[in-house]
Amino acid sequence: MEKELCTITGKLKDVPEGSCVNIRHPLGASDIVRTVSSEGVPDGARLKSETFELYPGIELSFHCYLADHFHIHHCHGISVLSIDHCRAGRIGWEMKGGLSLYFGNGDLSFHYTDKCSDSEITLPLGYYEGLSVALDLPVLQESLPELLSDAGVDVRDLCLKFCGERETAALPASSRIEHIFSEVYDLPEQMKLPYLKLKCQELLMFLNMAEPARENVLDPHYSEQVSVIRKIHDRMTEHPEKRYTIDELAKEYLINTAALKSIFKSVYGMPVAAYMKHYRITKAAGLLRSSDESIASVARSVGYESQSKFSAAFKEIMKILPTDYRRQYM
């Protein structure tokens, strides 16, 4: 997580805090359109999107965000499908109809853009890097790129296959998805446009052949359930020195234990215990860097009464003992 966060922070060094930078490469034009806005951007957040118009009806956008949450509003029509890939971090949309869809590293999601035209974005880990491919169905039915036409791709059938009755869906990370996106994010500038055109067509042909019924599709949840899970998350992270059980949290927040575990993992990307272990160790690492508290005191402040258990957990996560970690920053 720390390495991903540093990488994204570096990519956003030219974005002022509390603002969103949008860069657009219009189809067939050499001019680049750059706009900066602060609307809907919380203080301290930094957001950046860069969009390439690849073909009539197909756009690909790279997104890099540092924020806990922010609001978006856009004007896409009801017949535009968004296919989103997450490279790093985790993202959740609270869409029309009370649906919330969360996905993370390597996952692929689908939704019609009218569902998110006025929605709240949540970043459970505080950062996100990914891309989206927007397909304008009426335009593509009239003018489909030749290679896709030769492959027998029907964009409307593709949309119905992944997003018909469900309206939104996500596929978990897989080697096939990784193969498509592994080289897309850090291309040399002169190679971007032709390579993105090639990869976009590869993605659509892959989806045309895929059978979603055979995939382990990620489920959306209702916003009310997600709101409860966030409260549980905040309770645990505000008091990392305390050890809460699933049963006592479920009783206090009036939620089924199975639902608590399932939705927590969907939103935050890890089971409760694993997430809290990472959270405690990350917080401890910050204390070791910034304070002169003893290691035993740091261990107790994040819920470890035994220094030896803390050291073992720290080494498992950080790949270094806490004494050696602190020495690096002295």
Side-chain angles (χ1 to χ4, degrees):
M1 288 188 197
E2 205 169 351
K3 185 177 179 181
E4 290 179 343
L5 182 57
C6 288
T7 299
I8 292 171
T9 301
K11 291 185 177 184
L12 291 169
K13 61 179 183 284
D14 61 334
V15 178
E17 288 191 357
S19 64
C20 175
V21 172
N22 285 293
I23 302 168
R24 192 169 191 85
H25 302 261
L27 184 63
S30 57
D31 293 337
I32 298 173
V33 181
R34 180 187 173 99
T35 59
V36 182
S37 170
S38 59
E39 184 180 354
V41 182
D43 293 341
R46 288 188 280 167
L47 317 174
K48 184 177 183 179
S49 293
E50 185 172 15
T51 300
F52 294 83
E53 295 183 14
L54 302 181
Y55 301 99
I58 303 180
E59 296 179 354
L60 187 148
S61 301
F62 292 100
H63 308 291
C64 217
Y65 304 144
L66 271 179
D68 292 322
H69 63 89
F70 58 93
H71 189 82
I72 62 165
H73 178 77
H74 60 74
C75 300
H76 276 307
I78 60 173
S79 295
V80 175
L81 179 74
S82 180
I83 304 170
D84 294 84
H85 175 259
C86 174
R87 184 193 198 188
R90 199 155 186 84
I91 190 168
W93 269 285
E94 294 198 10
M95 304 182 185
K96 289 179 182 176
L99 281 180
S100 293
L101 178 67
Y102 285 78
F103 61 101
N105 291 39
D107 297 340
L108 204 60
S109 84
F110 309 82
H111 68 273
Y112 289 109
T113 55
D114 68 311
K115 292 293 175 186
C116 70
S117 59
D118 194 25
S119 61
E120 189 76 14
I121 298 289
T122 300
L123 308 180
L125 304 181
Y127 64 89
Y128 172 79
E129 183 181 10
L131 64 78
S132 59
V133 177
L135 306 178
D136 191 319
L137 307 188
V139 173
L140 289 171
Q141 286 187 303
E142 295 294 326
S143 176
L144 193 66
E146 184 179 358
L147 191 60
L148 296 177
S149 182
D150 290 346
V153 174
D154 185 314
V155 289
R156 190 162 292 278
D157 285 349
L158 187 150
C159 293
L160 290 172
K161 178 163 63 171
F162 286 95
C163 229
E165 297 176 0
R166 300 168 64 90
E167 297 184 322
T168 180
L171 298 180
S174 69
S175 58
R176 292 177 296 170
I177 293 173
E178 172 64 19
H179 169 75
I180 294 172
F181 293 104
S182 58
E183 297 174 347
V184 166
Y185 287 92
D186 299 305
L187 293 168
E189 204 60 41
Q190 70 273 16
M191 289 291 292
K192 272 188 179 177
L193 192 58
Y195 204 89
L196 293 178
K197 286 183 175 182
L198 176 68
K199 280 296 182 178
C200 182
Q201 293 188 84
E202 181 184 1
L203 169 65
L204 296 182
M205 285 190 280
F206 159 70
L207 294 175
N208 192 58
M209 294 184 293
E211 292 293 338
R214 298 178 186 171
E215 305 285 350
N216 183 21
V217 177
L218 303 177
D219 288 323
H221 302 285
Y222 285 98
S223 300
E224 294 87 350
Q225 296 171 305
V226 173
S227 177
V228 171
I229 294 302
R230 284 198 201 131
K231 290 176 183 176
I232 291 172
H233 167 271
D234 293 348
R235 173 76 168 277
M236 292 190 296
T237 54
E238 283 168 10
H239 300 284
E241 76 283 1
K242 295 184 179 179
R243 298 276 180 167
Y244 298 96
T245 69
I246 296 292
D247 286 340
E248 67 181 294
L249 289 169
K251 286 178 183 177
E252 181 174 348
Y253 288 91
L254 303 178
I255 184 171
N256 179 278
T257 56
L260 191 161
K261 291 188 283 188
S262 171
I263 300 172
F264 190 99
K265 185 176 180 182
S266 176
V267 172
Y268 293 99
M270 296 182 193
V272 177
Y275 180 89
M276 285 307 299
K277 186 174 185 177
H278 277 79
Y279 181 86
R280 288 186 169 99
I281 297 304
T282 302
K283 186 172 180 64
L287 292 172
L288 291 171
R289 292 195 305 267
S290 61
S291 77
D292 57 2
E293 285 186 59
S294 69
I295 290 176
S297 176
V298 169
R300 285 193 299 273
S301 71
V302 295
Y304 287 89
E305 292 300 324
S306 164
Q307 186 174 329
S308 61
K309 287 184 178 179
F310 168 71
S311 295
F314 194 96
K315 186 173 183 181
E316 181 186 342
I317 302 295
M318 304 298 289
K319 310 306 179 188
I320 187 173
L321 286 169
T323 47
D324 296 329
Y325 182 84
R326 168 169 271 175
R327 195 174 295 121
Q328 290 181 343
Y329 290 93
M330 288 179 65

Short mmCIF file of all heavy atoms in Angstrom, two decimals, residues 225-238 244 246 249-250 252-255 260 264 268 272 276:
data_model
loop_
_atom_site.label_atom_id
_atom_site.label_comp_id
_atom_site.label_asym_id
_atom_site.label_seq_id
_atom_site.Cartn_x
_atom_site.Cartn_y
_atom_site.Cartn_z
N GLN A 225 -26.41 -0.53 3.63
CA GLN A 225 -25.52 -1.55 4.19
C GLN A 225 -24.08 -1.04 4.25
O GLN A 225 -23.37 -1.24 5.23
CB GLN A 225 -25.58 -2.82 3.33
CG GLN A 225 -26.93 -3.51 3.30
CD GLN A 225 -26.94 -4.61 2.26
OE1 GLN A 225 -26.66 -4.38 1.08
NE2 GLN A 225 -27.27 -5.82 2.70
N VAL A 226 -23.65 -0.39 3.17
CA VAL A 226 -22.28 0.11 3.09
C VAL A 226 -22.06 1.18 4.16
O VAL A 226 -20.99 1.26 4.78
CB VAL A 226 -21.99 0.67 1.69
CG1 VAL A 226 -20.63 1.36 1.65
CG2 VAL A 226 -22.05 -0.45 0.65
N SER A 227 -23.08 2.00 4.41
CA SER A 227 -22.97 3.04 5.44
C SER A 227 -22.71 2.43 6.81
O SER A 227 -21.89 2.93 7.59
CB SER A 227 -24.25 3.88 5.46
OG SER A 227 -24.19 4.85 6.48
N VAL A 228 -23.38 1.33 7.13
CA VAL A 228 -23.17 0.64 8.40
C VAL A 228 -21.74 0.11 8.49
O VAL A 228 -21.07 0.24 9.53
CB VAL A 228 -24.19 -0.51 8.58
CG1 VAL A 228 -23.84 -1.36 9.80
CG2 VAL A 228 -25.60 0.04 8.71
N ILE A 229 -21.27 -0.47 7.39
CA ILE A 229 -19.91 -1.03 7.37
C ILE A 229 -18.88 0.08 7.57
O ILE A 229 -17.87 -0.10 8.27
CB ILE A 229 -19.66 -1.79 6.06
CG1 ILE A 229 -20.56 -3.02 5.98
CG2 ILE A 229 -18.18 -2.18 5.93
CD1 ILE A 229 -20.40 -4.00 7.13
N ARG A 230 -19.12 1.24 6.99
CA ARG A 230 -18.18 2.35 7.18
C ARG A 230 -18.13 2.79 8.64
O ARG A 230 -17.07 3.12 9.17
CB ARG A 230 -18.60 3.55 6.30
CG ARG A 230 -18.26 3.37 4.83
CD ARG A 230 -18.29 4.72 4.16
NE ARG A 230 -18.45 4.54 2.73
CZ ARG A 230 -19.34 5.18 2.00
NH1 ARG A 230 -20.17 6.04 2.55
NH2 ARG A 230 -19.40 4.97 0.70
N LYS A 231 -19.29 2.79 9.30
CA LYS A 231 -19.33 3.16 10.71
C LYS A 231 -18.53 2.15 11.55
O LYS A 231 -17.80 2.53 12.48
CB LYS A 231 -20.77 3.23 11.21
CG LYS A 231 -21.55 4.41 10.65
CD LYS A 231 -23.01 4.36 11.10
CE LYS A 231 -23.81 5.51 10.48
NZ LYS A 231 -25.25 5.41 10.84
N ILE A 232 -18.68 0.87 11.20
CA ILE A 232 -17.92 -0.17 11.90
C ILE A 232 -16.42 0.02 11.66
O ILE A 232 -15.60 -0.07 12.58
CB ILE A 232 -18.39 -1.56 11.45
CG1 ILE A 232 -19.81 -1.83 11.96
CG2 ILE A 232 -17.43 -2.65 11.92
CD1 ILE A 232 -20.45 -3.09 11.41
N HIS A 233 -16.07 0.29 10.41
CA HIS A 233 -14.66 0.55 10.07
C HIS A 233 -14.11 1.72 10.87
O HIS A 233 -13.01 1.65 11.45
CB HIS A 233 -14.55 0.83 8.56
CG HIS A 233 -13.22 1.40 8.15
ND1 HIS A 233 -12.98 2.77 8.14
CD2 HIS A 233 -12.08 0.80 7.75
CE1 HIS A 233 -11.74 2.98 7.74
NE2 HIS A 233 -11.17 1.81 7.50
N ASP A 234 -14.86 2.82 10.91
CA ASP A 234 -14.38 4.01 11.62
C ASP A 234 -14.23 3.73 13.12
O ASP A 234 -13.29 4.22 13.76
CB ASP A 234 -15.35 5.18 11.40
CG ASP A 234 -15.36 5.67 9.95
OD1 ASP A 234 -14.45 5.26 9.20
OD2 ASP A 234 -16.26 6.44 9.59
N ARG A 235 -15.15 2.96 13.66
CA ARG A 235 -15.08 2.61 15.08
C ARG A 235 -13.78 1.86 15.37
O ARG A 235 -13.07 2.15 16.35
CB ARG A 235 -16.29 1.75 15.43
CG ARG A 235 -16.30 1.17 16.83
CD ARG A 235 -16.65 2.21 17.89
NE ARG A 235 -16.92 1.58 19.16
CZ ARG A 235 -18.09 1.03 19.51
NH1 ARG A 235 -19.11 1.04 18.66
NH2 ARG A 235 -18.25 0.48 20.69
N MET A 236 -13.45 0.88 14.54
CA MET A 236 -12.26 0.07 14.78
C MET A 236 -10.97 0.86 14.56
O MET A 236 -10.01 0.72 15.31
CB MET A 236 -12.29 -1.17 13.88
CG MET A 236 -13.38 -2.16 14.24
SD MET A 236 -13.23 -3.73 13.35
CE MET A 236 -13.47 -3.18 11.67
N THR A 237 -10.95 1.69 13.51
CA THR A 237 -9.71 2.42 13.20
C THR A 237 -9.48 3.60 14.14
O THR A 237 -8.34 4.03 14.33
CB THR A 237 -9.71 2.89 11.74
OG1 THR A 237 -10.90 3.66 11.47
CG2 THR A 237 -9.65 1.71 10.79
N GLU A 238 -10.55 4.14 14.73
CA GLU A 238 -10.39 5.22 15.71
C GLU A 238 -9.84 4.69 17.03
O GLU A 238 -9.26 5.44 17.81
CB GLU A 238 -11.73 5.92 15.95
CG GLU A 238 -12.13 6.87 14.83
CD GLU A 238 -13.58 7.32 14.95
OE1 GLU A 238 -14.20 7.05 16.00
OE2 GLU A 238 -14.08 7.94 13.99
N TYR A 244 -12.13 -5.64 18.89
CA TYR A 244 -13.57 -5.91 18.79
C TYR A 244 -13.79 -7.26 18.13
O TYR A 244 -13.05 -7.63 17.20
CB TYR A 244 -14.26 -4.83 17.95
CG TYR A 244 -14.17 -3.44 18.52
CD1 TYR A 244 -13.19 -2.55 18.09
CD2 TYR A 244 -15.07 -3.01 19.49
CE1 TYR A 244 -13.11 -1.27 18.60
CE2 TYR A 244 -15.01 -1.73 20.01
CZ TYR A 244 -14.02 -0.86 19.57
OH TYR A 244 -13.95 0.42 20.08
N ILE A 246 -16.34 -9.80 15.83
CA ILE A 246 -17.38 -9.68 14.81
C ILE A 246 -18.76 -9.74 15.45
O ILE A 246 -19.66 -8.95 15.11
CB ILE A 246 -17.23 -10.80 13.75
CG1 ILE A 246 -15.91 -10.68 13.00
CG2 ILE A 246 -18.41 -10.77 12.78
CD1 ILE A 246 -15.79 -9.47 12.11
N LEU A 249 -19.74 -6.44 17.30
CA LEU A 249 -19.99 -5.36 16.34
C LEU A 249 -21.31 -5.59 15.61
O LEU A 249 -22.09 -4.66 15.38
CB LEU A 249 -18.85 -5.28 15.33
CG LEU A 249 -17.52 -4.73 15.87
CD1 LEU A 249 -16.40 -4.96 14.86
CD2 LEU A 249 -17.63 -3.26 16.21
N ALA A 250 -21.58 -6.84 15.23
CA ALA A 250 -22.83 -7.17 14.54
C ALA A 250 -24.03 -6.86 15.42
O ALA A 250 -25.03 -6.30 14.94
CB ALA A 250 -22.83 -8.64 14.12
N GLU A 252 -24.15 -4.69 17.97
CA GLU A 252 -24.25 -3.25 18.22
C GLU A 252 -24.80 -2.50 17.02
O GLU A 252 -25.58 -1.56 17.18
CB GLU A 252 -22.88 -2.70 18.60
CG GLU A 252 -22.91 -1.21 18.92
CD GLU A 252 -21.57 -0.70 19.43
OE1 GLU A 252 -20.69 -1.52 19.75
OE2 GLU A 252 -21.42 0.52 19.49
N TYR A 253 -24.41 -2.93 15.82
CA TYR A 253 -24.82 -2.20 14.61
C TYR A 253 -25.98 -2.88 13.87
O TYR A 253 -26.32 -2.49 12.75
CB TYR A 253 -23.62 -2.01 13.68
CG TYR A 253 -22.63 -1.00 14.23
CD1 TYR A 253 -21.58 -1.41 15.05
CD2 TYR A 253 -22.76 0.35 13.95
CE1 TYR A 253 -20.68 -0.49 15.56
CE2 TYR A 253 -21.86 1.27 14.44
CZ TYR A 253 -20.82 0.85 15.26
OH TYR A 253 -19.93 1.77 15.77
N LEU A 254 -26.55 -3.89 14.51
CA LEU A 254 -27.76 -4.55 13.99
C LEU A 254 -27.57 -5.04 12.55
O LEU A 254 -28.35 -4.75 11.64
CB LEU A 254 -28.96 -3.59 14.04
CG LEU A 254 -29.29 -3.01 15.43
CD1 LEU A 254 -30.44 -2.04 15.34
CD2 LEU A 254 -29.58 -4.14 16.42
N ILE A 255 -26.51 -5.82 12.36
CA ILE A 255 -26.23 -6.37 11.04
C ILE A 255 -25.85 -7.84 11.20
O ILE A 255 -25.21 -8.23 12.19
CB ILE A 255 -25.11 -5.59 10.31
CG1 ILE A 255 -24.91 -6.13 8.88
CG2 ILE A 255 -23.82 -5.61 11.10
CD1 ILE A 255 -23.98 -5.28 8.05
N LEU A 260 -21.86 -8.64 7.50
CA LEU A 260 -20.77 -7.76 7.94
C LEU A 260 -19.46 -8.17 7.29
O LEU A 260 -18.73 -7.35 6.73
CB LEU A 260 -20.68 -7.82 9.47
CG LEU A 260 -19.78 -6.79 10.17
CD1 LEU A 260 -20.15 -6.68 11.65
CD2 LEU A 260 -18.29 -7.11 10.06
N PHE A 264 -17.82 -5.92 4.30
CA PHE A 264 -16.54 -5.31 4.68
C PHE A 264 -15.45 -5.68 3.67
O PHE A 264 -14.70 -4.82 3.21
CB PHE A 264 -16.13 -5.75 6.09
CG PHE A 264 -14.97 -4.97 6.64
CD1 PHE A 264 -15.18 -3.93 7.52
CD2 PHE A 264 -13.66 -5.28 6.27
CE1 PHE A 264 -14.11 -3.19 8.02
CE2 PHE A 264 -12.59 -4.55 6.76
CZ PHE A 264 -12.80 -3.51 7.64
N TYR A 268 -13.56 -2.85 1.54
CA TYR A 268 -12.17 -2.55 1.90
C TYR A 268 -11.15 -3.53 1.31
O TYR A 268 -9.95 -3.34 1.49
CB TYR A 268 -12.03 -2.48 3.42
CG TYR A 268 -12.78 -1.29 3.98
CD1 TYR A 268 -14.04 -1.45 4.55
CD2 TYR A 268 -12.26 -0.01 3.88
CE1 TYR A 268 -14.75 -0.36 5.03
CE2 TYR A 268 -12.96 1.09 4.36
CZ TYR A 268 -14.21 0.90 4.93
OH TYR A 268 -14.91 1.99 5.39
N VAL A 272 -12.02 -8.60 7.69
CA VAL A 272 -11.88 -7.65 8.80
C VAL A 272 -10.55 -7.82 9.53
O VAL A 272 -9.81 -6.85 9.75
CB VAL A 272 -13.06 -7.82 9.81
CG1 VAL A 272 -12.86 -6.88 10.99
CG2 VAL A 272 -14.39 -7.55 9.13
N MET A 276 -7.50 -5.02 9.65
CA MET A 276 -7.10 -4.37 10.89
C MET A 276 -5.64 -4.66 11.22
O MET A 276 -4.95 -3.81 11.79
CB MET A 276 -8.01 -4.80 12.03
CG MET A 276 -9.38 -4.15 11.99
SD MET A 276 -9.33 -2.34 11.87
CE MET A 276 -8.46 -1.90 13.39
#
